[in-house]
Amino acid sequence: MTRLFNIAVIGAGIAGLSCASALQAAGHRVQVFDKSRGASGRMSTRRRADDGWQCDHGAQYFTARDPAFAAEVARWQQAGVAAMWSPRIAVLNDPSYDATSRQPGPLDRFVGTPRMTAPGQWLAGSLDMSLGTTVQRLHRGGPQWQLESAEQGLLDPRFDAVLLALPAPQALALTESPAPALAAVAASAQMRGCWALMLQFDSPVDLPFDAAFVNSGPLRWIARDSSKPGRDPGLETWLLHAEAEWSEAHLELPPDEAASLMLAAFAVLGGPAPQTWTAHRWRYADTREPRLDGCLWDDDLRLGLCGDWLNGGKVEGAWLSGQRLAAQLFSGFAATGT
Ligand code: FAD
């Protein structure tokens, strides 16, 4: 009979939650650690308690091309934590665009409901979560691992395996000392930043689309967040994402300077000035050339890596990467007869 293991998953984004759920379903004891106060990572929503305002400021939507992920999204839909979003979508190349003549091809786009964090929080609800825990170092004593966190120092539990479901630079910091070969792979991934600007309006914005890919200037994507299913349509909210190279070049700008450049670009596209705005800087939004390893697993150390950067990028790639790492563990455990 297969032995059951104590496993630490560090990172409660969709990759870590996917991996932890699969391992827990197989009977292993899994504990998930994240530095944030909530699960979901870059599938993120900014919220305001007093008036219910919210805006997805990380992942905007996800697609499901792989049958396993499509089945998972169907499960999320069944649970009411995801739904299809069918925005009127445009592709803008210059200010004199014709929104109706440049529609991208048909594609099913999904979002979390009532916000992008919902699928991750739903998965986290069945897991043993340790939030507000920034893992700073991994210690190996004999065959087991112990974690050291910034908030609590050395943590008590010992783990048979540690899985890092983190953006590459954060995985690099934790693997450098105990696993230089894994660290070298993490060092090879170049992750890029992204400025996000959330805009609030007190009346509907008169633009002939709900979302647009922007192919020139500082902006890459703009969307009427309030057009997504499950949102309050009375709170007109738009989200602007800056283009990756532009974001990288302007990453150290004060938020108000980045915001004023992005608002000027929105105005060129016909967008009005908002009543209020909030800026967010993503330091590790995407990977310049995501790897295609799927995941990485060192069977001697019992240390593994998963995440979007190892599997083509995006929500679907991250979820599949978590599944692949769980499958690697199963075959590693089976091969060693444990
Ligand atoms: P993450 O979601 O980054 O999860 C990693 C987790 O690790 C985080 O919760 C973090 O808090 C935690 N962590 C980090 N360091 C530590 C530590 N030392 N200790 C403890 N915890 C730690 N994808 C799409 O499919 N469609 C889109 O439209 C889309 N748009 C995007 C737009 C932006 C601006 C951004 C930022 C991302 C976008 N993505 C999009 C990408 C998508 O969000 C990611 O591919 C996916 O969410 C990555 O999941 P992950 O689990 O690999 O990583």
Side-chain angles (χ1 to χ4, degrees), residues 10-12 33-34 42 164-171 174 191 306-309:
I10 303 167
F33 297 86
D34 201 290
R42 278 172 276 160
L164 305 179
L166 307 170
Q170 290 159 330
L174 289 179
M191 294 197 71
C306 64
D308 65 338
W309 63 277

Side-chain angles (χ1 to χ4, degrees), residues 23-278:
L23 291 166
Q24 182 171 278
H28 296 287
R29 195 154 67 204
V30 185
Q31 195 172 346
V32 183
F33 297 86
D34 201 290
K35 62 180 181 171
S36 306
R37 280 174 294 135
S40 219
R42 278 172 276 160
M43 293 175 74
S44 188
T45 308
R46 184 67 61 88
R47 296 173 71 187
R48 204 167 46 216
D50 50 0
D51 62 356
W53 175 85
Q54 64 172 39
C55 184
D56 298 336
H57 63 299
Q60 292 295 293
Y61 62 83
F62 44 91
T63 49
R65 295 177 171 88
D66 182 280
F69 186 59
E72 177 70 0
V73 173
R75 217 165 66 91
W76 295 351
Q77 286 179 278
Q78 188 86 32
V81 295
M84 203 184 287
W85 178 42
S86 306
R88 294 172 296 154
I89 195 157
V91 180
L92 312 181
N93 295 302
D94 56 54
S96 57
Y97 65 89
D98 172 356
T100 51
S101 70
R102 298 203 195 113
Q103 296 291 320
L107 185 65
D108 286 348
R109 296 181 170 83
F110 298 91
V111 295
T113 50
R115 58 192 69 90
M116 193 51 99
T117 49
Q121 289 179 348
W122 184 69
L123 292 173
S126 309
L127 293 164
D128 180 0
M129 303 291 301
S130 296
L131 298 170
T133 308
T134 310
V135 178
Q136 272 188 326
R137 283 190 70 188
L138 307 178
H139 298 271
R140 193 158 166 84
Q144 290 196 305
W145 290 100
Q146 238 184 317
L147 311 181
E148 185 180 327
S149 85
E151 296 81 3
Q152 299 140 61
L154 203 60
L155 305 179
D156 274 341
R158 315 239 163 185
F159 297 99
D160 303 303
V162 172
L163 311 179
L164 305 179
L166 307 170
Q170 290 159 330
L172 170 62
L174 289 179
T175 46
E176 234 163 0
S177 154
L182 293 181
V185 181
S188 72
Q190 201 183 337
M191 294 197 71
R192 308 181 293 189
C194 176
W195 273 108
L197 195 64
M198 296 156 260
L199 313 181
Q200 194 184 347
F201 298 89
D202 57 13
S203 58
V205 167
D206 185 20
L207 285 172
F209 50 79
D210 299 315
F213 297 99
V214 186
N215 288 333
S216 58
L219 300 178
R220 166 55 49 88
W221 165 260
I222 61 179
R224 195 188 311 260
D225 191 78
S226 37
S227 73
K228 294 179 180 179
R231 277 65 175 173
D232 182 346
L235 293 173
E236 180 84 3
T237 300
W238 281 71
L239 178 281
L240 317 182
H241 275 158
E243 191 265 333
E245 304 304 328
W246 187 92
S247 293
E248 279 292 302
H250 296 83
L251 216 51
E252 303 308 329
L253 276 189
D256 56 343
E257 285 181 32
S260 79
L261 294 172
M262 290 172 72
L263 285 172
F266 186 53
V268 170
L269 300 174
Q275 267 61 55
T276 58
W277 56 261
T278 312

Side-chain angles (χ1 to χ4, degrees), residues 320-334:
L320 287 167
S321 174
Q323 295 286 304
R324 300 237 164 95
L325 184 53
Q328 279 273 329
L329 260 76
F330 297 145
S331 56
F333 296 161

